[in-house]
Structure formats: C-alpha cells, structure tokens
Amino acid sequence: MAFKFIYVFLPLLLFAFLILITDIQNAAGGIFIYFLIMAARFVYDKIKEKNKK
C-alpha cells in the first residue's frame, strides 16, 4: 500500500496543489523533479545494499 501511495497518490496530490498555485508547466516540472528524487533515492538504496554485502 505504501508503494502505491508514494508513486501514485502523492504525485497526484502534489500536481493538484501545484496547479492551484501556479500554471501547468511548473506543475509538470514539479512532478518531474519529484520522480527524479524518488529515482535517486531508489538507486542510493540499491548501492547501499550492494556495499553492505
């Protein structure tokens, strides 16, 4: 359930919030940055696990 929340619902909520305070291009850019941060976190966790072994 947490996986769906982080990768599906939270970006939608973030997009809706950004639409309220700015235009569509900035909202899409904010979602793109969110996914970049999530991808970097995923890669960091994989490298951390690999170095732990």
Short mmCIF file of all heavy atoms in Angstrom, two decimals:
data_model
loop_
_atom_site.label_atom_id
_atom_site.label_comp_id
_atom_site.label_asym_id
_atom_site.label_seq_id
_atom_site.Cartn_x
_atom_site.Cartn_y
_atom_site.Cartn_z
N MET A 1 0.83 -1.20 0.00
CA MET A 1 0.00 0.00 0.00
C MET A 1 0.86 1.25 0.00
O MET A 1 0.54 2.22 -0.65
CB MET A 1 -0.93 -0.05 1.21
CG MET A 1 -1.84 1.13 1.31
SD MET A 1 -2.97 1.18 -0.09
CE MET A 1 -3.79 2.68 0.22
N ALA A 2 1.97 1.23 0.73
CA ALA A 2 2.83 2.42 0.80
C ALA A 2 3.45 2.71 -0.56
O ALA A 2 3.62 3.87 -0.93
CB ALA A 2 3.92 2.23 1.83
N PHE A 3 3.75 1.65 -1.33
CA PHE A 3 4.31 1.85 -2.66
C PHE A 3 3.35 2.61 -3.56
O PHE A 3 3.74 3.55 -4.24
CB PHE A 3 4.65 0.50 -3.30
CG PHE A 3 5.19 0.61 -4.69
CD1 PHE A 3 6.50 0.97 -4.89
CD2 PHE A 3 4.38 0.37 -5.79
CE1 PHE A 3 7.01 1.09 -6.17
CE2 PHE A 3 4.87 0.48 -7.06
CZ PHE A 3 6.18 0.84 -7.26
N LYS A 4 2.07 2.22 -3.54
CA LYS A 4 1.08 2.92 -4.35
C LYS A 4 0.92 4.36 -3.90
O LYS A 4 0.76 5.25 -4.72
CB LYS A 4 -0.28 2.20 -4.28
CG LYS A 4 -0.33 0.93 -5.06
CD LYS A 4 -1.72 0.34 -5.00
CE LYS A 4 -1.77 -0.96 -5.77
NZ LYS A 4 -3.10 -1.57 -5.72
N PHE A 5 0.94 4.58 -2.60
CA PHE A 5 0.77 5.94 -2.09
C PHE A 5 1.91 6.85 -2.54
O PHE A 5 1.67 7.96 -2.99
CB PHE A 5 0.67 5.93 -0.56
CG PHE A 5 0.47 7.30 0.02
CD1 PHE A 5 -0.77 7.91 -0.06
CD2 PHE A 5 1.52 7.98 0.61
CE1 PHE A 5 -0.96 9.19 0.46
CE2 PHE A 5 1.34 9.25 1.13
CZ PHE A 5 0.09 9.85 1.06
N ILE A 6 3.13 6.35 -2.45
CA ILE A 6 4.29 7.17 -2.77
C ILE A 6 4.38 7.45 -4.26
O ILE A 6 4.69 8.56 -4.67
CB ILE A 6 5.58 6.49 -2.27
CG1 ILE A 6 5.63 6.53 -0.74
CG2 ILE A 6 6.82 7.18 -2.82
CD1 ILE A 6 6.77 5.75 -0.13
N TYR A 7 4.09 6.45 -5.10
CA TYR A 7 4.32 6.60 -6.53
C TYR A 7 3.06 6.94 -7.33
O TYR A 7 3.17 7.27 -8.51
CB TYR A 7 4.95 5.33 -7.10
CG TYR A 7 6.36 5.17 -6.64
CD1 TYR A 7 6.70 4.24 -5.66
CD2 TYR A 7 7.38 5.96 -7.16
CE1 TYR A 7 8.00 4.11 -5.23
CE2 TYR A 7 8.68 5.83 -6.73
CZ TYR A 7 8.98 4.91 -5.77
OH TYR A 7 10.27 4.77 -5.34
N VAL A 8 1.88 6.88 -6.74
CA VAL A 8 0.66 7.19 -7.48
C VAL A 8 -0.10 8.36 -6.85
O VAL A 8 -0.30 9.39 -7.50
CB VAL A 8 -0.26 5.95 -7.58
CG1 VAL A 8 -1.56 6.29 -8.29
CG2 VAL A 8 0.45 4.82 -8.30
N PHE A 9 -0.51 8.20 -5.61
CA PHE A 9 -1.38 9.20 -4.99
C PHE A 9 -0.64 10.48 -4.62
O PHE A 9 -1.17 11.57 -4.84
CB PHE A 9 -2.08 8.61 -3.76
CG PHE A 9 -2.97 7.46 -4.10
CD1 PHE A 9 -2.73 6.21 -3.54
CD2 PHE A 9 -4.03 7.59 -4.97
CE1 PHE A 9 -3.54 5.14 -3.84
CE2 PHE A 9 -4.85 6.52 -5.28
CZ PHE A 9 -4.60 5.29 -4.72
N LEU A 10 0.54 10.37 -4.08
CA LEU A 10 1.27 11.56 -3.66
C LEU A 10 1.62 12.48 -4.84
O LEU A 10 1.43 13.69 -4.74
CB LEU A 10 2.52 11.17 -2.88
CG LEU A 10 3.16 12.28 -2.06
CD1 LEU A 10 2.17 12.88 -1.07
CD2 LEU A 10 4.36 11.75 -1.32
N PRO A 11 2.10 11.95 -5.98
CA PRO A 11 2.33 12.84 -7.12
C PRO A 11 1.05 13.51 -7.63
O PRO A 11 1.08 14.67 -8.03
CB PRO A 11 2.92 11.92 -8.20
CG PRO A 11 3.53 10.82 -7.45
CD PRO A 11 2.67 10.63 -6.24
N LEU A 12 -0.08 12.80 -7.56
CA LEU A 12 -1.34 13.41 -7.98
C LEU A 12 -1.75 14.54 -7.05
O LEU A 12 -2.20 15.60 -7.50
CB LEU A 12 -2.45 12.36 -8.06
CG LEU A 12 -2.32 11.34 -9.18
CD1 LEU A 12 -3.40 10.27 -9.06
CD2 LEU A 12 -2.38 12.02 -10.53
N LEU A 13 -1.56 14.32 -5.75
CA LEU A 13 -1.86 15.39 -4.79
C LEU A 13 -0.91 16.58 -4.98
O LEU A 13 -1.34 17.73 -4.93
CB LEU A 13 -1.76 14.86 -3.36
CG LEU A 13 -2.84 13.88 -2.92
CD1 LEU A 13 -2.52 13.32 -1.55
CD2 LEU A 13 -4.19 14.56 -2.92
N LEU A 14 0.35 16.29 -5.20
CA LEU A 14 1.32 17.34 -5.44
C LEU A 14 0.98 18.12 -6.71
O LEU A 14 1.04 19.35 -6.72
CB LEU A 14 2.73 16.75 -5.55
CG LEU A 14 3.88 17.72 -5.80
CD1 LEU A 14 4.00 18.70 -4.64
CD2 LEU A 14 5.17 16.96 -6.00
N PHE A 15 0.60 17.42 -7.78
CA PHE A 15 0.22 18.06 -9.03
C PHE A 15 -0.99 18.96 -8.82
O PHE A 15 -1.02 20.10 -9.29
CB PHE A 15 -0.07 17.00 -10.09
CG PHE A 15 -0.35 17.58 -11.45
CD1 PHE A 15 0.68 18.09 -12.21
CD2 PHE A 15 -1.64 17.58 -11.96
CE1 PHE A 15 0.43 18.62 -13.46
CE2 PHE A 15 -1.89 18.10 -13.20
CZ PHE A 15 -0.86 18.62 -13.96
N ALA A 16 -2.00 18.47 -8.11
CA ALA A 16 -3.20 19.27 -7.85
C ALA A 16 -2.86 20.52 -7.05
O ALA A 16 -3.35 21.61 -7.35
CB ALA A 16 -4.24 18.42 -7.11
N PHE A 17 -2.01 20.38 -6.05
CA PHE A 17 -1.60 21.54 -5.26
C PHE A 17 -0.83 22.55 -6.11
O PHE A 17 -1.08 23.75 -6.03
CB PHE A 17 -0.74 21.09 -4.08
CG PHE A 17 -0.15 22.23 -3.30
CD1 PHE A 17 -0.95 23.03 -2.51
CD2 PHE A 17 1.21 22.51 -3.38
CE1 PHE A 17 -0.41 24.10 -1.80
CE2 PHE A 17 1.76 23.56 -2.68
CZ PHE A 17 0.94 24.36 -1.88
N LEU A 18 0.09 22.05 -6.94
CA LEU A 18 0.87 22.96 -7.78
C LEU A 18 0.02 23.65 -8.83
O LEU A 18 0.28 24.80 -9.19
CB LEU A 18 2.03 22.20 -8.44
CG LEU A 18 3.13 21.75 -7.49
CD1 LEU A 18 4.13 20.87 -8.23
CD2 LEU A 18 3.83 22.94 -6.87
N ILE A 19 -1.02 22.99 -9.32
CA ILE A 19 -1.94 23.62 -10.27
C ILE A 19 -2.66 24.80 -9.60
O ILE A 19 -2.89 25.83 -10.23
CB ILE A 19 -2.98 22.59 -10.79
CG1 ILE A 19 -2.33 21.66 -11.78
CG2 ILE A 19 -4.17 23.27 -11.45
CD1 ILE A 19 -1.94 22.26 -13.09
N LEU A 20 -2.97 24.64 -8.33
CA LEU A 20 -3.67 25.72 -7.61
C LEU A 20 -2.80 26.96 -7.45
O LEU A 20 -3.31 28.07 -7.45
CB LEU A 20 -4.13 25.22 -6.24
CG LEU A 20 -5.24 24.18 -6.23
CD1 LEU A 20 -5.48 23.70 -4.81
CD2 LEU A 20 -6.51 24.76 -6.83
N ILE A 21 -1.49 26.78 -7.29
CA ILE A 21 -0.64 27.93 -7.01
C ILE A 21 0.16 28.41 -8.21
O ILE A 21 0.79 29.46 -8.14
CB ILE A 21 0.31 27.64 -5.83
CG1 ILE A 21 1.26 26.50 -6.15
CG2 ILE A 21 -0.48 27.36 -4.56
CD1 ILE A 21 2.35 26.31 -5.11
N THR A 22 0.15 27.65 -9.33
CA THR A 22 0.95 28.04 -10.48
C THR A 22 0.31 27.51 -11.76
O THR A 22 -0.83 27.05 -11.73
CB THR A 22 2.40 27.55 -10.31
OG1 THR A 22 3.18 28.08 -11.36
CG2 THR A 22 2.51 26.05 -10.28
N ASP A 23 1.02 27.53 -12.86
CA ASP A 23 0.47 27.07 -14.14
C ASP A 23 0.84 25.61 -14.40
O ASP A 23 1.57 24.99 -13.62
CB ASP A 23 0.93 27.95 -15.29
CG ASP A 23 2.44 28.00 -15.43
OD1 ASP A 23 3.13 27.53 -14.52
OD2 ASP A 23 2.93 28.50 -16.46
N ILE A 24 0.36 25.06 -15.51
CA ILE A 24 0.51 23.63 -15.81
C ILE A 24 1.96 23.23 -16.05
O ILE A 24 2.39 22.15 -15.66
CB ILE A 24 -0.39 23.23 -17.00
CG1 ILE A 24 -0.44 21.71 -17.17
CG2 ILE A 24 0.04 23.85 -18.28
CD1 ILE A 24 -1.53 21.07 -16.44
N GLN A 25 2.75 24.10 -16.68
CA GLN A 25 4.14 23.76 -16.96
C GLN A 25 4.96 23.62 -15.69
O GLN A 25 5.76 22.69 -15.55
CB GLN A 25 4.79 24.81 -17.87
CG GLN A 25 4.23 24.86 -19.26
CD GLN A 25 3.00 25.74 -19.38
OE1 GLN A 25 2.61 26.40 -18.43
NE2 GLN A 25 2.39 25.74 -20.55
N ASN A 26 4.77 24.53 -14.76
CA ASN A 26 5.50 24.45 -13.50
C ASN A 26 5.04 23.26 -12.66
O ASN A 26 5.85 22.63 -11.98
CB ASN A 26 5.35 25.74 -12.71
CG ASN A 26 6.15 26.87 -13.30
OD1 ASN A 26 7.15 26.64 -13.95
ND2 ASN A 26 5.68 28.08 -13.12
N ALA A 27 3.76 22.94 -12.73
CA ALA A 27 3.25 21.78 -12.00
C ALA A 27 3.86 20.49 -12.57
O ALA A 27 4.27 19.61 -11.82
CB ALA A 27 1.73 21.74 -12.08
N ALA A 28 3.92 20.38 -13.89
CA ALA A 28 4.52 19.20 -14.51
C ALA A 28 6.01 19.12 -14.17
O ALA A 28 6.54 18.03 -13.92
CB ALA A 28 4.32 19.25 -16.02
N GLY A 29 6.69 20.25 -14.14
CA GLY A 29 8.10 20.27 -13.75
C GLY A 29 8.29 19.83 -12.31
O GLY A 29 9.25 19.12 -11.99
N GLY A 30 7.40 20.22 -11.44
CA GLY A 30 7.47 19.80 -10.04
C GLY A 30 7.31 18.30 -9.89
O GLY A 30 8.01 17.66 -9.10
N ILE A 31 6.41 17.71 -10.65
CA ILE A 31 6.21 16.26 -10.63
C ILE A 31 7.45 15.55 -11.18
O ILE A 31 7.89 14.53 -10.65
CB ILE A 31 4.95 15.87 -11.42
CG1 ILE A 31 3.72 16.47 -10.78
CG2 ILE A 31 4.82 14.35 -11.51
CD1 ILE A 31 3.48 16.08 -9.34
N PHE A 32 8.04 16.11 -12.25
CA PHE A 32 9.24 15.53 -12.83
C PHE A 32 10.39 15.53 -11.81
O PHE A 32 11.08 14.53 -11.64
CB PHE A 32 9.65 16.31 -14.08
CG PHE A 32 10.88 15.80 -14.75
CD1 PHE A 32 10.89 14.58 -15.39
CD2 PHE A 32 12.06 16.55 -14.71
CE1 PHE A 32 12.03 14.11 -16.01
CE2 PHE A 32 13.21 16.08 -15.32
CZ PHE A 32 13.19 14.86 -15.97
N ILE A 33 10.55 16.62 -11.10
CA ILE A 33 11.59 16.71 -10.07
C ILE A 33 11.31 15.71 -8.94
O ILE A 33 12.24 15.06 -8.43
CB ILE A 33 11.70 18.15 -9.52
CG1 ILE A 33 12.28 19.06 -10.61
CG2 ILE A 33 12.54 18.21 -8.26
CD1 ILE A 33 12.18 20.53 -10.30
N TYR A 34 10.05 15.56 -8.56
CA TYR A 34 9.68 14.57 -7.54
C TYR A 34 10.11 13.17 -7.96
O TYR A 34 10.70 12.43 -7.17
CB TYR A 34 8.16 14.63 -7.31
CG TYR A 34 7.65 13.55 -6.39
CD1 TYR A 34 7.76 13.69 -5.02
CD2 TYR A 34 7.07 12.40 -6.89
CE1 TYR A 34 7.30 12.70 -4.16
CE2 TYR A 34 6.61 11.41 -6.06
CZ TYR A 34 6.72 11.56 -4.70
OH TYR A 34 6.28 10.57 -3.87
N PHE A 35 9.82 12.80 -9.22
CA PHE A 35 10.20 11.46 -9.69
C PHE A 35 11.71 11.31 -9.81
O PHE A 35 12.24 10.22 -9.57
CB PHE A 35 9.51 11.13 -11.02
CG PHE A 35 8.09 10.67 -10.84
CD1 PHE A 35 7.05 11.36 -11.46
CD2 PHE A 35 7.79 9.58 -10.07
CE1 PHE A 35 5.75 10.94 -11.30
CE2 PHE A 35 6.48 9.15 -9.90
CZ PHE A 35 5.45 9.84 -10.52
N LEU A 36 12.44 12.36 -10.15
CA LEU A 36 13.89 12.29 -10.16
C LEU A 36 14.44 12.02 -8.77
O LEU A 36 15.36 11.21 -8.60
CB LEU A 36 14.49 13.58 -10.72
CG LEU A 36 14.42 13.78 -12.21
CD1 LEU A 36 14.99 15.16 -12.58
CD2 LEU A 36 15.18 12.70 -12.95
N ILE A 37 13.88 12.68 -7.78
CA ILE A 37 14.32 12.48 -6.40
C ILE A 37 14.01 11.06 -5.94
O ILE A 37 14.83 10.40 -5.31
CB ILE A 37 13.68 13.53 -5.47
CG1 ILE A 37 14.25 14.91 -5.78
CG2 ILE A 37 13.89 13.18 -4.00
CD1 ILE A 37 13.54 16.05 -5.11
N MET A 38 12.83 10.56 -6.29
CA MET A 38 12.46 9.19 -5.92
C MET A 38 13.39 8.18 -6.61
O MET A 38 13.79 7.18 -5.99
CB MET A 38 11.02 8.89 -6.30
CG MET A 38 10.01 9.68 -5.53
SD MET A 38 9.46 9.02 -3.97
CE MET A 38 10.71 9.17 -2.83
N ALA A 39 13.73 8.42 -7.87
CA ALA A 39 14.64 7.51 -8.58
C ALA A 39 16.03 7.55 -7.95
O ALA A 39 16.67 6.50 -7.79
CB ALA A 39 14.72 7.89 -10.05
N ALA A 40 16.51 8.74 -7.58
CA ALA A 40 17.82 8.85 -6.95
C ALA A 40 17.82 8.13 -5.60
O ALA A 40 18.80 7.45 -5.26
CB ALA A 40 18.18 10.32 -6.76
N ARG A 41 16.74 8.22 -4.87
CA ARG A 41 16.64 7.51 -3.59
C ARG A 41 16.67 6.00 -3.80
O ARG A 41 17.32 5.26 -3.05
CB ARG A 41 15.35 7.92 -2.89
CG ARG A 41 15.19 7.31 -1.55
CD ARG A 41 13.94 7.82 -0.86
NE ARG A 41 13.50 6.79 0.06
CZ ARG A 41 12.27 6.33 0.16
NH1 ARG A 41 11.33 6.83 -0.60
NH2 ARG A 41 11.96 5.40 1.01
N PHE A 42 15.98 5.53 -4.83
CA PHE A 42 15.96 4.11 -5.14
C PHE A 42 17.37 3.61 -5.49
O PHE A 42 17.82 2.58 -5.00
CB PHE A 42 14.99 3.85 -6.31
CG PHE A 42 14.96 2.43 -6.76
CD1 PHE A 42 14.29 1.47 -6.02
CD2 PHE A 42 15.59 2.05 -7.92
CE1 PHE A 42 14.25 0.16 -6.43
CE2 PHE A 42 15.56 0.73 -8.35
CZ PHE A 42 14.88 -0.22 -7.60
N VAL A 43 18.08 4.35 -6.33
CA VAL A 43 19.44 3.97 -6.73
C VAL A 43 20.37 4.00 -5.52
O VAL A 43 21.20 3.10 -5.33
CB VAL A 43 19.96 4.89 -7.85
CG1 VAL A 43 21.44 4.67 -8.12
CG2 VAL A 43 19.16 4.65 -9.12
N TYR A 44 20.24 5.02 -4.68
CA TYR A 44 21.05 5.12 -3.47
C TYR A 44 20.84 3.91 -2.56
O TYR A 44 21.80 3.33 -2.04
CB TYR A 44 20.73 6.41 -2.73
CG TYR A 44 21.45 6.55 -1.42
CD1 TYR A 44 22.80 6.84 -1.37
CD2 TYR A 44 20.78 6.37 -0.21
CE1 TYR A 44 23.48 6.96 -0.16
CE2 TYR A 44 21.43 6.48 1.00
CZ TYR A 44 22.78 6.78 1.02
OH TYR A 44 23.43 6.88 2.21
N ASP A 45 19.58 3.50 -2.39
CA ASP A 45 19.29 2.33 -1.55
C ASP A 45 19.89 1.06 -2.14
O ASP A 45 20.41 0.22 -1.41
CB ASP A 45 17.78 2.17 -1.38
CG ASP A 45 17.19 3.21 -0.45
OD1 ASP A 45 17.96 3.83 0.32
OD2 ASP A 45 15.95 3.40 -0.49
N LYS A 46 19.83 0.91 -3.46
CA LYS A 46 20.41 -0.27 -4.11
C LYS A 46 21.93 -0.30 -3.93
O LYS A 46 22.50 -1.35 -3.64
CB LYS A 46 20.08 -0.28 -5.61
CG LYS A 46 18.65 -0.60 -5.90
CD LYS A 46 18.38 -2.04 -5.58
CE LYS A 46 16.97 -2.40 -5.94
NZ LYS A 46 16.63 -3.77 -5.64
N ILE A 47 22.59 0.84 -4.09
CA ILE A 47 24.05 0.91 -3.91
C ILE A 47 24.41 0.65 -2.46
O ILE A 47 25.38 -0.06 -2.17
CB ILE A 47 24.59 2.28 -4.39
CG1 ILE A 47 24.44 2.39 -5.90
CG2 ILE A 47 26.03 2.47 -3.96
CD1 ILE A 47 24.76 3.77 -6.43
N LYS A 48 23.63 1.17 -1.54
CA LYS A 48 23.87 0.96 -0.12
C LYS A 48 23.77 -0.52 0.25
O LYS A 48 24.60 -1.04 0.98
CB LYS A 48 22.86 1.79 0.67
CG LYS A 48 23.13 1.92 2.13
CD LYS A 48 22.14 2.92 2.70
CE LYS A 48 22.02 2.81 4.16
NZ LYS A 48 21.03 3.72 4.71
N GLU A 49 22.76 -1.20 -0.29
CA GLU A 49 22.60 -2.64 -0.05
C GLU A 49 23.74 -3.42 -0.67
O GLU A 49 24.24 -4.38 -0.07
CB GLU A 49 21.28 -3.14 -0.63
CG GLU A 49 20.07 -2.73 0.16
CD GLU A 49 18.78 -3.21 -0.47
OE1 GLU A 49 18.84 -4.14 -1.31
OE2 GLU A 49 17.73 -2.67 -0.13
N LYS A 50 24.19 -3.03 -1.84
CA LYS A 50 25.27 -3.73 -2.52
C LYS A 50 26.58 -3.60 -1.75
O LYS A 50 27.34 -4.55 -1.62
CB LYS A 50 25.44 -3.17 -3.93
CG LYS A 50 26.45 -3.89 -4.76
CD LYS A 50 26.53 -3.29 -6.15
CE LYS A 50 27.60 -3.99 -6.97
NZ LYS A 50 27.74 -3.39 -8.29
N ASN A 51 26.85 -2.41 -1.22
CA ASN A 51 28.08 -2.18 -0.47
C ASN A 51 28.04 -2.85 0.90
O ASN A 51 29.08 -3.11 1.49
CB ASN A 51 28.33 -0.69 -0.31
CG ASN A 51 28.76 -0.05 -1.61
OD1 ASN A 51 29.24 -0.72 -2.51
ND2 ASN A 51 28.58 1.26 -1.70
N LYS A 52 26.85 -3.12 1.39
CA LYS A 52 26.71 -3.75 2.69
C LYS A 52 27.13 -5.21 2.67
O LYS A 52 27.63 -5.74 3.64
CB LYS A 52 25.25 -3.65 3.14
CG LYS A 52 25.03 -3.63 4.61
CD LYS A 52 23.57 -3.41 4.89
CE LYS A 52 23.40 -2.82 6.27
NZ LYS A 52 21.99 -2.64 6.61
N LYS A 53 26.96 -5.85 1.51
CA LYS A 53 27.28 -7.29 1.40
C LYS A 53 28.74 -7.58 1.37
O LYS A 53 29.60 -6.89 1.17
CB LYS A 53 26.64 -7.84 0.13
CG LYS A 53 25.15 -7.89 0.22
CD LYS A 53 24.55 -8.48 -1.03
CE LYS A 53 23.06 -8.52 -0.92
NZ LYS A 53 22.44 -9.08 -2.10
#
